[in-house]
Amino acid sequence: MPTLILVRHGQSQWNLENRFTGWWDVDLTEKGVAEAIAAGELLAEKGLLPTCAFTSLQIRAIKTLHLALEACGRLWIPETKDWRLNERHYGGLTGLDKQETRERHGDEQVHIWRRSFDTPPPVMEEGTDYDLAADPRYAGIAVPRTESLKLTIERVLPYWEGEILPVLTSGETVIVSAHGNSLRALVKHLSNISDDDITGLEIPTGEPIVYEFDAAMKPGERHYLKDR
């Protein structure tokens, strides 16, 4: 049966430093590398071998995918990268230490920016250190200045419907290596989670989540591969 594997990238350097990352390109830590390799080893152990892969344009997700695929002997499978699987854009919060941001703006405001469904953080000003408008990987793309979870979902779901789902429907075992919020968008859709409840859902780093689809392409219950 068609099977979907979702993997959030392993721990990144800014995860470790407790900074808002968003679209900024940050590499994996040693722990993140180990998490990615462990995810691939678990895929091999459980006999769940991907035949097709999708990931974002961000190095932490790409490296996680490659390390996991190498660990399960599948580095050779077809792979597609797309910006629509990128992390949510944190706007003007990008690069800021989360605790310092709480001290400056208050716990309640930061909680709204991080966890509300449709309230985006402050807009990133043009020309700041973290402005990616001139990054060659985003040539021809209107790089967001900020995003709520709602706005992230609005770019992820059309990509799911138009690009990933048709591949899955053809019978492939698809792995998607992406980010906390882009994966939250997919889980919300596939598990029919409400707007209120999705904001509290945590997607752990490096732990494969699995959906199996029936003949009508209806997804079953999501589960962690480690529990399979």
Side-chain angles (χ1 to χ4, degrees), residues 51-152:
T51 60
C52 187
F54 292 86
T55 190
S56 71
L57 294 183
Q58 300 185 269
I59 193 169
R60 57 194 186 271
I62 296 167
K63 277 196 173 180
T64 294
L65 176 64
H66 291 175
L67 289 165
L69 290 179
E70 184 174 16
C72 68
R74 289 276 158 157
L75 197 53
W76 50 269
I77 67 173
E79 169 188 330
T80 302
K81 303 181 185 75
D82 198 280
W83 68 272
R84 286 167 289 187
L85 292 174
N86 277 18
E87 177 58 293
R88 170 190 173 190
H89 197 299
Y90 275 102
L93 300 182
T94 302
L96 297 181
D97 177 274
K98 293 177 182 177
Q99 184 55 41
E100 290 177 358
T101 307
R102 290 187 191 97
E103 292 169 1
R104 183 184 307 175
H105 297 283
D107 288 343
E108 184 177 352
Q109 181 61 68
V110 174
H111 181 76
I112 290 170
W113 285 333
R114 291 189 67 197
R115 291 303 187 191
S116 73
F117 180 70
D118 56 5
T119 302
V123 170
M124 177 180 286
E125 298 298 328
E126 293 185 19
T128 61
D129 290 345
Y130 301 120
D131 185 357
L132 292 168
D135 190 308
R137 86 189 80 182
Y138 301 119
I141 295 169
V143 176
R145 292 292 172 186
T146 187
E147 287 181 311
S148 61
L149 177 56
K150 181 175 183 288
L151 290 172
T152 306

Side-chain angles (χ1 to χ4, degrees), residues 21 36 44 47 114 119 165 167 181 183 213:
T21 312
R114 291 189 67 197
T119 302
L165 185 57
V167 173
N181 284 292
L183 292 179
F213 291 73

